[in-house]
Amino acid sequence: MPSWIGAVILPLSGLLLSLPARADVKARSCGEVRQAYGAKGFSLADIPYQEIAGEHLRICPQEYTCCTTEMEDKLSQQSKLEFENLVEETSHFVRTTFVSRHKKFDEFFRELLENAEKSLNDMFVRTYGMLYMQNSEVFQDLFTELKRYYTGGNVNLEEMLNDFWARLLERMFQLINPQYHFSEDYLECVSKYTDQLKPFGDVPRKLKIQVTRAFIAARTFVQGLTVGREVANRVSKVSPTPGCIRALMKMLYCPYCRGLPTVRPCNNYCLNVMKGCLANQADLDTEWNLFIDAMLLVAERLEGPFNIELVMDPIDVKISEAIMNMQENSMQVSAKVFQGCGQPKPAPALRSARSAPENFNTRFRPYNPEERPTTAAGTSLDRLVTDIKEKLKLSKKVWSALPYTICKDESVTAGTSNEEECWNGHSKARYLPEIMNDGLTNQINNPEVDVDITRPDTFIRQQIMALRVMTNKLKNAYNGNDVNFQDTSDESSGSGSGSGCMDDVCPTEFEFVTTEAPAVDPDRREVDSSAGQPGHSLLSAALVSIALVLQRLCR
């Protein structure tokens, strides 16, 4: 063979070796990909009939492909939309739980208040007639303030209830003493002695404890449902980062570009992609779980000692009993008031106490709870609480579980039973990298998603703070405290509406002044106002000073 022939053959053989491996093989059809692509609603004008060289691809492997640049762009957007829908669908349960239960609880509490007010009005009209109607604004104001508190108004429940009983005492004191004229100053003096006189018996003290704790728990629980609803709605609407979108495209639609439209991603591959894309959401889980635990604690209070239904349903009877107690002790009450506030002036036109309507002295029969079934919102608080407790328990760890829930979907991945015949990001084969742990900091070595662990999602951090604030309110409500009235100088003091001197442990500024130390029952801590006589200004000033100091200590 001539030497020149060998010189030609050698370069030709090198050229043949340098040609693409499939240059001598007939290109594969893209028919299956065209069908799947068209089923997504895309125009088939973008897709070739046979595989083409893939140097133009920016995300998928740059090998022979059925994807054009336009197809890769469209499928990338499609993967983003599908991911957003997957997260929204997967969090559907927790979102609908908070939306629907918030509506039910709010409807129940509002109707419960309306029913209680109507029941009191109907009963008092029947029992006291015109006497009640002439003073009905005292009771109307009570319910107005209770409603205002429940709906988020800045109402101090303890002060409001104290004011209600003081106003009621003023009105009743005038009714049981029609032969006297009482000035505004005199009536103000009367109201200051409400706690010490105990004209209504122990009803105001007990009712204050029950109403305060029940309303704090009810309002805070509904606020918790509101916060849970808002957080769930916001977090379920994700905005994937560019790195996440690339990873989603590579996982969901690069199989199309490789001519494998029916091959689904490997389960572990999917988990790494989702953990990278949802790293910030997973960081929400710790605060979310604490929030759910606090909600469950308050729910237990609602069905136990802080049950607002058991407080409001018979409130008309309790107030009526207090009024009857005042009537029975009217002479002793009047004597003590005259002793403390001075002898009032006779009325210009004397009227006998007997001229009061007879029905004022009518005793309302004892309340039988079986006579008045709950009709508020067609349910009961016990049923609502039992239902919500089950739902709340199911919603724990919902955000860190999102990747697992999504990747468990058979329409998304090949499942755990098909680990060899699945898409691993490069070909149809087993996925080998290890699965990342949850949360942002654990994504530093995520092989699938480029995650910047130094820049936490500001929006997610805002939701974490909202949950933290609400959890604090719930913990206070569990202890019977209203965070809106916490002493900001000492949050650990436990002072505030629903705490402090709830059980009359602290003396008040307006105790009767006595010539000797007041007798105190160690069990009830109530001052015996019958001891001693009024007067002695030095002793009075000293006792008032001591009372004020004790008040501050109790706060």
Side-chain angles (χ1 to χ4, degrees):
M1 180 177 62
S3 60
W4 64 269
I5 296 177
V8 172
I9 289 175
L10 286 173
L12 283 175
S13 63
L15 179 62
L16 289 171
L17 288 172
S18 67
L19 289 174
R22 295 188 57 190
D24 59 341
V25 180
K26 185 178 180 182
R28 287 191 300 184
S29 169
C30 292
E32 197 174 0
V33 177
R34 288 175 63 85
Q35 186 178 356
Y37 188 71
K40 294 287 181 183
F42 295 118
S43 170
L44 296 180
D46 296 331
I47 185 169
Y49 286 92
Q50 291 182 322
E51 287 182 337
I52 58 175
E55 293 87 351
H56 58 279
L57 297 178
R58 295 187 298 273
I59 299 174
C60 296
Q62 293 184 334
E63 301 176 10
Y64 277 88
T65 182
C66 287
C67 284
T68 60
T69 300
E70 292 77 12
M71 285 179 65
E72 192 179 39
D73 289 341
K74 288 181 179 179
L75 290 173
S76 183
Q77 284 301 309
Q78 180 68 16
S79 63
K80 174 180 178 292
L81 291 173
E82 289 184 11
F83 169 70
E84 291 170 350
N85 290 335
L86 278 170
V87 174
E88 199 159 352
E89 288 170 11
T90 307
S91 60
H92 176 75
F93 167 78
V94 69
R95 287 186 290 111
T96 54
T97 290
F98 280 91
V99 169
S100 62
R101 270 53 185 185
H102 173 269
K103 183 179 179 182
K104 284 187 177 182
F105 271 90
D106 185 54
E107 181 183 12
F108 176 82
F109 289 141
R110 289 174 184 269
E111 196 167 318
L112 185 69
L113 290 175
E114 293 292 341
N115 288 353
E117 182 175 16
K118 183 178 184 302
S119 178
L120 183 142
N121 185 71
D122 292 346
M123 189 188 91
F124 277 36
V125 167
R126 291 196 311 270
T127 308
Y128 304 114
M130 284 300 298
L131 208 59
Y132 162 70
M133 289 186 275
Q134 291 167 357
N135 297 278
S136 61
E137 75 276 4
V138 176
F139 304 93
Q140 290 169 357
D141 290 347
L142 169 66
F143 282 97
T144 297
E145 289 299 287
L146 288 174
K147 291 173 187 174
R148 193 163 74 86
Y149 173 84
Y150 170 72
T151 54
N154 188 27
V155 178
N156 187 312
L157 287 173
E158 285 189 31
E159 291 180 3
M160 184 272 291
L161 290 167
N162 289 339
D163 184 59
F164 165 73
W165 291 111
R167 289 179 66 196
L168 187 59
L169 175 59
E170 289 179 17
R171 297 297 179 95
M172 287 199 63
F173 193 75
Q174 294 177 81
L175 292 171
I176 62 177
N177 293 286
Q179 68 273 34
Y180 296 108
H181 169 72
F182 301 103
S183 65
E184 289 296 322
D185 288 342
Y186 196 98
L187 291 175
E188 185 177 349
C189 178
V190 172
S191 67
K192 288 180 180 179
Y193 291 127
T194 306
D195 286 343
Q196 288 69 47
L197 290 173
K198 304 215 180 304
F200 302 110
D202 208 30
V203 173
R205 185 185 71 87
K206 290 180 178 178
L207 204 58
K208 180 163 68 174
I209 294 171
Q210 294 167 348
V211 168
T212 301
R213 291 176 176 173
F215 269 79
I216 290 171
R219 180 172 88 161
T220 308
F221 192 76
V222 170
Q223 287 177 343
L225 291 172
T226 302
V227 170
R229 178 190 68 190
E230 295 305 312
V231 170
N233 282 336
R234 289 167 181 166
V235 175
S236 64
K237 290 178 172 57
V238 293
S239 298
T241 63
C244 172
I245 295 172
R246 286 180 61 86
L248 290 167
M249 169 60 195
K250 187 178 177 183
M251 181 183 83
L252 295 173
Y253 287 111
C254 282
Y256 278 50
C257 296
R258 290 300 309 277
L260 304 169
T262 60
V263 178
R264 294 195 179 97
C266 300
N267 186 73
N268 290 354
Y269 174 34
C270 173
L271 285 175
N272 273 344
V273 171
M274 292 302 160
K275 287 193 175 202
C277 288
L278 297 170
N280 283 283
Q281 281 74 5
D283 282 347
L284 186 75
D285 229 32
T286 299
E287 204 63 49
W288 176 266
N289 293 338
L290 291 172
F291 162 71
I292 295 297
D293 287 339
M295 287 287 288
L296 287 168
L297 285 174
V298 176
E300 289 178 6
R301 290 294 208 203
L302 283 175
E303 63 182 356
F306 298 0
N307 189 318
I308 191 173
E309 185 175 22
L310 297 182
V311 172
M312 293 308 296
D313 206 29
I315 196 170
D316 49 4
V317 179
K318 292 178 181 178
I319 293 175
S320 182
E321 287 173 357
I323 291 172
M324 297 306 167
N325 191 81
M326 168 76 177
Q327 290 176 247
E328 290 177 356
N329 299 292
S330 59
M331 292 183 65
Q332 298 95 310
V333 170
S334 297
K336 289 179 181 178
V337 170
F338 296 160
Q339 184 184 56
C341 297
Q343 190 69 22
K345 296 178 181 179
L350 293 178
R351 293 185 293 117
S352 171
R354 295 177 184 173
S355 64
E358 290 184 7
N359 62 353
F360 179 68
N361 293 308
T362 302
R363 176 172 292 282
F364 192 75
R365 56 192 173 84
Y367 168 69
N368 183 352
E370 295 180 359
E371 292 178 3
R372 197 188 311 164
T374 300
T375 57
T379 186
S380 71
L381 188 57
D382 285 342
R383 286 196 289 270
L384 287 174
V385 171
T386 299
D387 169 72
I388 191 65
K389 282 169 67 177
E390 293 175 1
K391 300 294 191 297
L392 287 173
K393 289 173 184 175
L394 291 173
S395 69
K396 286 192 73 173
K397 300 183 179 179
V398 64
W399 306 112
S400 61
L402 275 179
Y404 298 91
T405 308
I406 291 172
C407 295
K408 189 170 63 177
D409 190 336
E410 293 181 357
S411 66
V412 178
T413 69
T416 55
S417 61
N418 197 8
E419 295 183 0
E420 301 292 343
E421 301 292 316
C422 56
W423 174 253
N424 66 6
H426 303 281
S427 61
K428 186 169 72 170
R430 176 183 288 269
Y431 182 76
L432 299 177
E434 64 176 335
I435 302 173
M436 297 293 101
N437 290 324
D438 301 326
L440 185 63
T441 57
N442 288 316
Q443 307 311 308
I444 188 170
N445 294 318
N446 192 312
E448 309 305 335
V449 188
D450 183 16
V451 182
D452 185 354
I453 65 169
T454 65
R455 298 182 62 185
D457 189 304
T458 304
F459 180 74
I460 294 295
R461 291 311 182 265
Q462 289 173 349
Q463 308 315 307
I464 289 173
M465 285 306 301
L467 289 172
R468 193 167 293 164
V469 170
M470 193 65 242
T471 300
N472 182 51
K473 285 187 177 183
L474 289 162
K475 288 179 179 177
N476 276 282
Y478 175 78
N479 293 317
N481 301 328
D482 194 340
V483 73
N484 289 352
F485 293 100
Q486 287 287 312
D487 184 350
T488 53
S489 64
D490 183 12
E491 290 191 6
S492 63
S493 67
S495 65
S497 183
S499 64
C501 306
M502 179 69 77
D503 295 312
D504 295 334
V505 174
C506 304
T508 65
E509 185 180 350
F510 308 115
E511 286 179 344
F512 274 95
V513 178
T514 60
T515 55
E516 58 186 23
V520 178
D521 183 332
D523 294 325
R524 291 182 55 193
R525 308 290 181 111
E526 291 172 353
V527 177
D528 182 359
S529 59
S530 64
Q533 301 294 329
H536 303 282
S537 59
L538 289 175
L539 180 59
S540 170
L543 287 174
V544 168
S545 298
I546 293 170
L548 289 171
V549 171
L550 287 173
Q551 273 188 306
R552 293 190 185 98
L553 288 174
C554 285
R555 295 193 187 114

